[in-house]
Structure formats: C-alpha cells, structure tokens
Amino acid sequence: SDLPDLVLAAAQGAKEGLKVTGYSKEYELNQLVYDVIGLVGDMCYEIEVTENGQVLEIEDCDYGRQSRAVAMAKWGQVRQLTG
C-alpha cells in the first residue's frame, strides 16, 4: 500500500488496538491529509492524519455493528488494505 508508515503509526497510536482496513487521501489547506479507517473490536473509526504524522481528528464512523464489508462499501474512494 502507499499508506506511509508514519501515518499508519500515528493512526494506531491515536486509537489503541486499531486494525486499519482502508484509507483515502485528500488535500486540505495545501497539505496532504489521510483519512485512515479502521476497527477496534467491532467499532469503526476514521482518523485524520497529516502526511507528517499529526493527528487532526478522530471520528466514530457511526456504522454501529454492521459488518466490515458494509462499512467499507459506504466509502467509495477508500482503498482497502489487504493482508
């Protein structure tokens, strides 16, 4: 994947036990920001991280207890991580 190690580490540091399932990226205020999506147990979180590893925001995905597949399907532009 092209999710930088620094971004992955920051996201996992922001939510203990986070299993990253996918991400998207966009430019906000002229900086590249990654929306990292992952699970802690059956709870889904979206964590915004800058390309230099600064956590901007942690949000609940609000998918409740839906399956990962259903949750991921709601994200059209998300790249799923495999392995």
Side-chain angles (χ1 to χ4, degrees), residues 15-76:
K15 269 286 169 194
E16 188 175 347
L18 185 75
K19 182 180 188 301
V20 175
T21 57
Y23 69 96
S24 60
K25 56 187 178 181
E26 61 188 347
Y27 281 92
E28 290 183 14
L29 302 175
N30 294 323
Q31 68 176 341
L32 184 58
V33 174
Y34 290 83
D35 287 322
V36 180
I37 294 140
L39 300 170
V40 178
D42 59 2
M43 293 298 296
C44 178
Y45 295 95
E46 175 190 346
I47 302 169
E48 279 193 12
V49 185
T50 66
E51 61 185 329
N52 59 11
Q54 179 187 358
V55 175
L56 299 179
E57 189 174 10
I58 301 172
E59 291 183 311
D60 190 322
C61 294
D62 293 325
Y63 300 141
R65 294 181 175 270
Q66 296 177 32
S67 72
R68 171 181 161 187
V70 171
M72 293 304 295
K74 293 189 176 189
W75 285 85

